[in-house]
Amino acid sequence: MTLANTAPHSDLIAPHGGSLVDLMVPTDHRDGVRAAVDRVVDCSHRNACDVELLIVGGFSPLRGFMHQEDYEAVVAGHRTTSGLLFGLPIVFDTDDASIAVGERLLLTYQGQDLAVLTVESRWEPDKVVEAKGCYGTTSLEHPAVRMIATERGRYYLGGRLQGLALPERVFPCSTPAEVRATLPAGEDVVAFQCRNPIHRAHYELFTRALEAPNVSKGAAVLVHPTCGPTQEDDIAGEVRFATYERLAAEVANPRIRWAYLPYAMHMAGPREALQHMIIRKNYGCTHFIIGRDMAGCKSSLTGEDFYGPYEAQDFARDQATELGMETVPSLNLVYTEEEGYVTAEHAQARGLHIRKLSGTQFRQMLRGGEEIPEWFAFRSVVEVLRAAA
C-alpha cells in the first residue's frame, strides 16, 4: 500500500543519530551526477536493499557504505568508531579487483540506475572474523555465513552515496518519512517484524502488544514485513505481499499501520534484533516486539538452533535504553477450545484444552484442499496461499 509523501510529525521519536538522512539527488541534478561516473556496477538483490535503505534514511545516520574502520568496529562490538550502536555492517561487495579508491560507480539494478557510489575505501575483509563477530559462528550451516562466504564478493567498498531512483518492486516500500507522516503524534508506535504470512496467532500477538503496560493508550502498531532476500524455503515475496494486502483490507483496524521494508534478512539472532530496532526507530517506532528466537536459524546439517530462545530478546532489551526505545516481549499464545487465544501459562493453570496445527500440517492441508480452521489462519490469507500453491 502506498503512503502519502507528507512531512513527518516533529514530535515523533528522533531517528538514530539525531536526523533522518535523505540521499536522493534533486531531479534536475541527476543527469549531471550520472554523467560523471567512471564505470557501471550491477547490484545484487542484497546490495539493492542496502542501497535503498541508505538513500531513504532507513540506515540513518549513515550517508553511504561503511569504511573499513567502522566495518571492523561493528563486527567486533556492534558499534561504529564513533560509538554509535549498529547491529550489522553495511558494505558494498565486489569481485572486481580493478575498482580503485576515488572512482565513481553507477550502481544499477535490473536495468535501473539506482545511485552513484564514490569509492572512498576498499579492502579485503577477513570473513572468518566477520562471521564469528556478527553471527557467533563460522559454520557454513548458518545461512548468513554461507552468504558472506559464497555470495559476497572478495572486496568491500566504502563511500558516500548519491541516490538517483529507488528499485521498482512488487512490494511498494514507503520511506521512513512517508511512514512517519502516518503515525499518531505524541503516541507510542509498536513495530512488528515478520517475513512470512500473518496468521491468527501473529495478529493476536501484535494487537495485544498495544495493551502492554509500557505502551501508551493511543498507540499504533506498525506491521513492517521485510521484502528482501530471505531463507530459501520462505514463501515467495509476491505471494507474501498479496497476503498482507488482503489481510489489511479484511481487518481494517485503525490502530494498525502497514508498510514494507526493503531489507535482506541475515538470520543473525541477537545482532539482527538490534539492527531491526535501529531501522524501526528511523521509521518512527518507539517500541519493538521481540519474539522468541527472533531472526534465529537452525543448522542445515543437525537441525540445532544457532541461538538460545531468549538470546535475541535479552540482547535487544540491553541495548533498548541507549536507543531510546522499549521492547515488548512476545507473548507465548496458544489457542484453547474454551477461551480462544490465551497465554500458555494461563491455559496450563486453568487446564484448558489447547489446539495445535503445525506449519507442516498447514501446508499439507493447503495442498490437499482441506478446510483450514479459522482460529489458525485468516480466510483471506488462505485464499491467496491456495491460489499460489
Side-chain angles (χ1 to χ4, degrees):
M1 54 213 68
T2 303
L3 302 181
N5 189 6
T6 54
H9 300 305
S10 59
D11 54 354
L12 297 175
I13 187 172
H16 195 42
S19 60
L20 191 63
V21 169
D22 179 357
L23 301 180
M24 190 64 76
V25 174
T27 305
D28 55 349
H29 291 172
R30 290 176 194 171
D31 287 343
V33 170
R34 188 183 284 105
V37 301
D38 298 297
R39 65 172 83 192
V40 178
V41 177
D42 195 36
C43 290
S44 66
H45 296 313
R46 287 181 177 273
N47 291 154
C49 287
D50 288 344
V51 168
E52 182 169 359
L53 283 172
L54 284 167
I55 290 173
V56 301
F59 286 142
S60 293
L62 300 186
R63 303 191 66 84
F65 289 100
M66 290 180 178
H67 297 308
Q68 184 174 0
E69 295 78 13
D70 279 334
Y71 158 80
E72 291 177 347
V74 171
V75 167
H78 57 270
R79 291 179 186 276
T80 64
T81 52
S82 67
L84 194 71
L85 284 169
F86 234 89
L88 295 166
I90 309 300
V91 291
F92 192 88
D93 66 286
T94 182
D95 278 319
D96 191 339
S98 70
I99 293 177
V101 171
E103 287 191 320
R104 290 167 55 80
L105 312 181
L106 176 61
L107 304 182
T108 64
Y109 177 66
Q110 297 184 343
Q112 261 189 290
D113 295 346
L114 294 189
V116 172
L117 169 62
T118 299
V119 181
E120 296 169 340
S121 59
R122 173 184 175 275
W123 70 99
E124 188 170 347
D126 186 331
K127 292 186 179 181
V128 174
V129 172
E130 180 181 349
K132 187 65 175 177
C134 293
Y135 311 121
T137 179
T138 58
S139 172
L140 290 174
E141 297 163 38
H142 188 294
V145 175
R146 193 161 59 250
M147 179 272 293
I148 64 172
T150 65
E151 295 178 25
R152 273 191 178 170
R154 180 176 178 179
Y155 307 100
Y156 287 175
L157 307 176
R160 62 187 174 88
L161 207 63
Q162 295 168 284
L164 301 174
L166 300 181
E168 295 172 357
R169 301 181 181 278
V170 172
F171 288 77
C173 297
S174 299
T175 68
E178 289 170 341
V179 171
R180 282 172 167 263
T182 73
L183 301 178
E187 297 286 358
D188 292 335
V189 180
V190 182
F192 178 70
Q193 147 70 24
C194 61
R195 69 177 201 280
N196 283 309
I198 292 168
H199 296 314
R200 288 276 181 182
H202 302 125
Y203 184 80
E204 292 289 333
L205 172 65
F206 63 70
T207 52
R208 292 187 188 200
L210 292 172
E211 310 306 321
N214 63 332
V215 174
S216 67
K217 295 300 181 185
V221 60
L222 173 66
V223 181
H224 207 199
T226 54
C227 66
T230 181
Q231 294 197 106
E232 293 177 359
D233 58 349
D234 281 347
I235 292 170
E238 294 84 354
V239 178
R240 285 184 283 136
F241 169 61
T243 66
Y244 301 136
E245 293 287 291
R246 287 284 301 277
L247 180 58
E250 178 180 344
V251 299
N253 187 330
R255 298 189 68 185
I256 301 175
R257 307 295 189 272
W258 301 79
Y260 305 111
L261 182 70
Y263 178 86
M265 293 291 294
H266 290 245
M267 311 311 295
R271 286 293 196 99
E272 187 114 64
L274 174 58
Q275 194 84 328
H276 280 298
M277 286 181 67
I278 291 169
I279 293 169
R280 278 15 181 268
K281 179 181 180 181
N282 286 328
Y283 278 82
C285 299
T286 58
H287 292 61
F288 191 76
I289 299 173
I290 302 287
R292 185 180 185 275
D293 192 30
M294 181 189 168
C297 57
K298 299 178 184 294
S299 163
S300 57
L301 192 63
T302 66
E304 294 182 5
D305 292 317
F306 278 104
Y307 311 108
Y310 303 105
E311 202 171 334
Q313 285 188 356
D314 293 343
F315 184 73
R317 185 192 61 240
D318 290 346
Q319 316 304 323
T321 301
E322 185 174 342
L323 283 176
M325 298 180 72
E326 296 187 44
T327 59
V328 181
S330 174
L331 296 175
N332 183 14
L333 296 177
V334 295
Y335 183 79
T336 63
E337 295 178 1
E338 296 88 351
E339 298 183 21
Y341 278 100
V342 298
T343 64
E345 296 78 12
H346 177 85
Q348 184 177 13
R350 295 285 188 92
L352 304 178
H353 295 86
I354 298 173
R355 297 186 65 180
K356 295 182 179 180
L357 185 63
S358 71
T360 301
Q361 289 174 307
F362 174 60
R363 288 188 290 272
Q364 289 173 343
M365 294 171 74
L366 270 180
R367 288 193 296 268
E370 298 178 55
E371 188 70 21
I372 307 295
E374 290 196 33
W375 62 262
F376 181 83
F378 288 91
R379 186 173 299 277
S380 58
V381 173
V382 170
E383 289 173 354
V384 172
L385 294 176
R386 269 199 212 286

